[in-house]
Amino acid sequence: MNTKILASILTVAIALPVFAQSDQREKRIAWWREARFGMFIHWGLYAVPAGEWKGQPIPGLGEWIMNRAKIPVAEYEQLAKQFNPVKFNADEFVAIAKNAGMKYITITSKHHDGFAMFGSKVSPYNVVDATPFHRDILKELSVACQKAGLRLCFYYSQTQDWHEPDGVGNTWDFPDASKQNFQKYYDEKVLPQVRELLTNYGPIGLIWFDTPRNITLQQSQQLADLVHRLQPNCLVSGRVGHGLGDYDSAGDNQISVGKVKRDWETPVTLNDTWGFKKDDNNWKTPAVLIHQLAQVASRGGNYLLNVGPTAEGVIPQPSVDRLAEVGRWMKVNGDSIYGTTGSPFPYELPWGVITTRAQPARLYLHVFEWPGKEFVLYGMESKVRQAYLLADASRKPLAVKQQHHADTGLDELRIAIPAAAPDAIDSVIVLETDGAVKVITTLMQQPDRRVTLPAYLSDIHAAAKPKLRFDSRGVVEQWLDKSEWLSWDFQVSSPGEFEVVAITSGQKYGSNWEGGHRVTASVAGKDVQGVIADDGKVENPSNPYWAYVMSKLGRVAVPKAGKYTLSLKPQEIVADKKFGLTLVSVQLAPAH
Ligand code: H79
């Protein structure tokens, strides 16, 4: 038996007892899978300084200002007296989310600064008791959400609390770690406040815990159990710790790729901060946002997009404008997002992404780069009964030609399309199939003649248990041992001469890339040796914060159509900074 199949059977068998409660989980997660798109709101006292302290701009995230500027509790607390967001209107917040096509709202009930945005009997450090505003923001939002049919969810920082001597993180007011009693903070603030959140605000969709840090298995379990006991239909986020969440959370601004096994969500900023900063104008374009939304859906995940309201209680206009653009697209193309599952192909496609609907069987081709005249898809096994543009209300059928080429084994689907893209950002072609969608999952050359071999789909070769592994983006980390190597099987239908290109990834914000490794790529009986050097950046479609670097390794000729294997073996890995060979993919780019 194939070892991969054996491994997956074993995994299922072993996993069963852990998911004894899976019926309950399946029930509580149904709405969330349908929703696919939510609004994150980071709002708290940090909106008052808005990124500036005593006349100095403080770098980093807006909601981290207390930590970054090491503001003493006694000083930071004074911000509460200035927090009076008189322009706040819960109905407006909800309308902005709803108009964008978002189905749930996750707001910070308490961030790391320890300040509660709700009336809490547990601590007077809250919006009702400590500010001139005296209004319970979460209460008003819960009423507005129920009116509009959106799910309200709460972010709650369970370990970090810079206001409390026993919370995690404040080393400037409370430097003596030996005096800290995390359990006391946890018992006296976390558990009772979470109880308040699940008791006083109606049905809650999920609690978004964050930064598990030091939390013990027992404490995480107690939190998850508390949430589920008080509201059995309330989800617990992946960051509760110890894998006890109802779904996984990707890293901040990280979009998971590859073999995503569980339900997952990615939180994303509209600019570079979560909490409002007056000088952050690095806004993502509507195109990036719509592409990310479709991309996350194509990998079976939820997209949680953040806004940071001002201290006056207003969502910044650049955010509102961008969300309105996403909403414009969603009104036409929402069917290709809501309730869909990921792409049936394990690999990425050069022109965009695919989402799927099981019932009735549909494939949604999200075409980011409109080819004009004809759209070609390889590897489709199911018979396509009908194709049309989602933007076309009349559903005028597009002419479809489907062919199996016996000589190359290639399944080819050709769709006649209008010359002009129906949408400049993402035009969706709907395919209706006979029965469930079936595709060939083998890696294959694409109609643009390029072959992309993603690291996460490689076979790993190592003498012992491999030390290299994949991060949640599907990028290789810990490839420091040159005896470990990767290979891929793939199919070529259009032979010729190719440039072998390695794509590697920088760390966050494009810094900390380590090159100079020497590698050998072997394909079609030929070796090319090259250096992982910076031969230019390529756009990273998943994330503008992690730059991709392209390294040209050399040329190979692939003489005829057929099945090939490419292996990538390191000759030398530079490991000074311990990043190693951060491989994203190897590409065979047609050489002209
Ligand atoms: O709520 C948002 C962030 O505040 C929170 N998660 C999202 C959803 C978060 N908590 N911790 N982190 C993210 C990791 C943060 C690390 C950093 Fe820093 C904060 C990098 C820069 C500022 C800590 C302080 C490391 C360097 C300085």
Side-chain angles (χ1 to χ4, degrees):
M1 188 187 287
N2 177 320
T3 50
K4 274 185 193 160
I5 294 174
L6 184 64
S8 66
I9 290 170
L10 285 174
T11 315
V12 170
I14 291 162
L16 274 176
V18 182
F19 292 103
Q21 286 195 333
S22 69
D23 278 0
Q24 190 61 48
R25 192 184 85 92
E26 284 297 306
K27 229 182 101 198
R28 70 170 75 102
I29 205 161
W31 72 267
W32 184 91
R33 285 184 186 144
E34 180 65 32
R36 281 288 170 257
F37 187 26
M39 174 183 270
F40 217 169
I41 303 180
H42 274 71
W43 200 21
L45 296 184
Y46 37 81
V48 175
E52 189 180 304
W53 193 250
K54 298 188 173 164
Q56 296 300 313
I58 306 299
L61 305 169
E63 72 283 3
W64 273 73
I65 192 167
M66 180 180 180
N67 186 301
R68 288 296 294 258
K70 303 290 175 249
I71 304 169
V73 169
E75 267 182 67
Y76 190 86
E77 271 181 346
Q78 301 305 314
L79 292 172
K81 295 185 188 144
Q82 297 172 54
F83 189 76
N84 195 17
V86 289
K87 293 189 180 160
F88 170 61
N89 177 338
D91 291 322
E92 262 173 39
F93 277 30
V94 172
I96 290 167
K98 190 166 184 170
N99 185 46
M102 295 157 154
K103 299 290 192 186
Y104 58 111
I105 293 180
T106 304
I107 182 167
T108 46
S109 64
K110 186 204 83 162
H111 204 267
H112 308 332
D113 67 358
F115 183 77
M117 293 291 276
F118 60 103
S120 173
K121 299 261 177 329
V122 177
S123 160
Y125 195 46
N126 72 69
V127 66
V128 175
D129 296 317
T131 75
F133 194 50
H134 296 303
R135 281 160 53 185
D136 188 329
I137 286 168
L138 301 194
K139 184 67 109 204
E140 293 180 20
L141 273 170
S142 77
V143 173
C145 277
Q146 284 187 30
K147 250 194 293 179
L150 265 66
R151 301 258 175 174
L152 181 64
C153 310
F154 296 139
Y155 172 106
Y156 189 90
S157 175
Q158 78 274 34
T159 59
Q160 298 196 63
D161 191 316
W162 308 326
H163 186 258
E164 309 300 331
D166 295 315
V168 172
N170 185 340
T171 50
W172 54 101
D173 284 296
F174 317 112
D176 188 351
S178 71
K179 290 207 185 107
Q180 284 199 342
N181 183 351
F182 179 78
Q183 187 67 43
K184 181 166 147 58
Y185 152 76
Y186 177 83
D187 288 336
E188 293 177 7
K189 188 165 182 181
V190 178
L191 293 177
Q193 281 198 331
V194 169
R195 196 172 293 121
E196 288 181 323
L197 290 170
L198 288 159
T199 311
N200 300 336
Y201 301 93
I204 301 306
L206 62 89
I207 305 281
W208 216 96
F209 295 108
D210 198 4
T211 64
R213 294 280 185 109
N214 58 299
I215 200 164
T216 65
L217 172 63
Q218 197 203 356
Q219 288 162 339
S220 291
Q221 187 72 61
Q222 205 180 347
L223 259 186
D225 289 349
L226 176 68
V227 173
H228 292 149
R229 195 167 62 246
L230 293 172
Q231 294 204 19
N233 289 326
C234 183
L235 295 159
V236 170
S237 82
R239 299 194 193 176
V240 70
H242 303 279
L244 294 177
D246 289 303
Y247 64 89
D248 287 343
S249 178
D252 294 356
N253 275 307
Q254 289 192 28
I255 295 182
S256 303
V257 299
K259 299 167 190 156
V260 181
K261 287 184 206 74
R262 295 188 74 207
D263 295 284
W264 67 285
E265 176 189 63
T266 187
V268 169
T269 50
L270 269 172
N271 48 357
D272 291 337
T273 181
W274 305 90
F276 179 68
K277 280 185 91 169
K278 57 189 159 199
D279 64 351
D280 184 341
N281 290 302
N282 193 22
W283 302 101
K284 294 190 173 94
T285 61
V288 167
L289 302 172
I290 291 165
H291 289 172
Q292 286 191 332
L293 169 61
Q295 198 167 43
V296 170
S298 82
R299 295 170 191 166
N302 280 19
Y303 189 59
L304 187 64
L305 188 55
N306 181 72
V307 297
T310 66
E312 285 193 301
V314 178
I315 297 178
Q317 195 58 38
S319 302
V320 176
D321 293 344
R322 279 156 185 78
L323 294 184
E325 281 293 301
V326 178
R328 177 197 59 73
W329 183 87
M330 281 295 273
K331 279 178 195 87
V332 176
N333 298 291
D335 278 359
S336 69
I337 300 292
Y338 301 126
T340 60
T341 51
S343 170
F345 293 97
Y347 51 81
E348 305 298 304
L349 296 151
W351 43 264
V353 301
I354 299 179
T355 52
T356 316
R357 186 177 301 286
Q359 261 326 325
R362 297 278 185 276
L363 217 64
Y364 301 98
L365 312 178
H366 295 252
V367 186
F368 300 166
E369 286 165 49
W370 193 253
K373 283 193 171 153
E374 191 177 50
F375 182 88
V376 184
L377 181 69
Y378 289 167
M380 185 76 184
E381 263 195 301
S382 321
K383 171 102 182 65
V384 174
R385 197 176 37 184
Q386 176 127 267
Y388 52 88
L389 300 171
L390 195 50
D392 176 8
S394 73
R395 299 191 167 183
K396 189 163 80 60
L398 302 171
V400 168
K401 213 171 113 195
Q402 215 169 352
Q403 242 184 319
H404 177 79
H405 299 273
D407 51 342
T408 54
L410 183 69
D411 287 290
E412 188 182 40
L413 172 70
R414 294 183 170 270
I415 308 167
I417 53 169
D423 190 286
I425 295 172
D426 176 1
S427 306
V428 179
I429 302 171
V430 186
L431 304 183
E432 296 189 5
T433 59
D434 280 338
V437 171
K438 271 182 78 185
V439 304
I440 309 277
T441 54
T442 317
L443 276 168
M444 65 176 84
Q445 184 179 29
Q446 291 299 305
D448 65 0
R449 297 194 54 232
R450 189 178 288 264
V451 182
T452 299
L453 308 170
Y456 61 83
L457 290 180
S458 63
D459 292 316
I460 304 171
H461 305 268
K465 190 177 176 304
K467 292 187 283 298
L468 73 78
R469 55 178 196 218
F470 302 94
D471 68 14
S472 66
R473 300 171 300 146
V475 176
V476 179
E477 56 183 17
Q478 295 299 313
W479 193 354
L480 301 163
D481 179 343
K482 67 180 184 188
S483 75
E484 297 181 349
W485 56 283
L486 303 180
S487 72
W488 297 260
D489 298 332
F490 60 98
Q491 191 155 351
V492 169
S493 48
S494 177
E497 180 117 354
F498 296 88
E499 182 87 52
V500 184
V501 180
I503 311 286
T504 50
S505 174
Q507 308 298 309
K508 203 176 185 184
Y509 299 113
S511 61
N512 300 328
W513 175 82
E514 191 166 36
H517 324 292
R518 285 188 299 110
V519 297
T520 301
S522 310
V523 61
K526 273 176 253 49
D527 288 352
V528 291
Q529 292 196 9
V531 176
I532 302 297
D534 189 346
D535 295 332
K537 303 284 189 290
V538 269
E539 200 195 325
N540 174 353
S542 294
N543 196 309
Y545 298 134
W546 277 266
Y548 282 177
V549 179
M550 181 175 68
S551 309
K552 294 178 179 169
L553 302 180
R555 283 187 175 205
V556 290
V558 177
K560 55 181 201 291
K563 291 205 165 95
Y564 289 88
T565 300
L566 184 145
S567 65
L568 187 74
K569 294 185 178 172
Q571 303 305 321
E572 188 199 341
I573 295 181
V574 178
D576 297 344
K577 295 187 217 151
K578 297 272 184 261
F579 297 126
L581 229 170
T582 55
L583 193 76
V584 177
S585 61
V586 175
Q587 293 191 350
L588 299 179
H592 300 291

